[in-house]
Structures are given as structure tokens and as C-alpha cells.
Amino acid sequence: MTTPPEEVLLTCPDRGKRFTDFVRGSINLMLGDITEQDVEENSRSECPHCGAIIQHHVLVVSEKGWRVT
């Protein structure tokens, strides 16, 4: 199952400023046209103030099994 996007409150690791973004907790690659690029884009957030990246843990399910990014 691919979970719907959830709005989360994040803190920039470089500047300490807070911002919101949308994150998916799980992505199922077997459900249509979801790609590895979609996984990459949905498993990280970029601080709008400075561009710092926050990596999220996302459960990814595919024909080969599952993994956590």
C-alpha cells in the first residue's frame, strides 16, 4: 500500500528554522506508474531557507520484496 502524503513539521539541520513538507510513509512500486525517482523525491525534504536536505525513512515495496530507504 502507498500511504497518502502526510504534512509534517520539520526543523532545518543547518539553521534550525522550522518548515512543513509532505512525506509518504510507504510506497508500493507495484501499484501503477510509481518510479524509483518518485521514491527519491518522496523520501527527502529540502529546507526552503537554505536548501539543506532532510532524509526520511520510507518503506518501499516491490516485486523483489521490501526495503527501508
Side-chain angles (χ1 to χ4, degrees):
M1 177 173 118
T2 298
T3 58
E6 178 183 350
E7 187 173 26
V8 293
L9 180 62
L10 302 165
T11 301
C12 174
D14 291 346
R15 297 194 178 182
K17 293 190 176 193
R18 298 179 68 104
F19 64 99
T20 59
D21 199 3
F22 289 90
V23 176
R24 290 182 186 269
S26 67
I27 298 175
N28 188 337
L29 296 176
M30 296 183 293
L31 295 177
D33 58 353
I34 300 172
T35 66
E36 286 291 337
Q37 182 177 346
D38 294 326
V39 172
E40 184 177 322
E41 290 174 3
N42 285 282
S43 63
R44 64 188 181 124
S45 295
E46 183 176 335
C47 174
H49 308 288
C50 70
I53 299 296
I54 297 174
Q55 190 68 39
H56 305 290
H57 296 290
V58 176
L59 174 65
V60 180
V61 178
S62 70
E63 297 87 15
K64 298 176 184 176
W66 63 272
R67 70 181 192 275
V68 176
T69 62

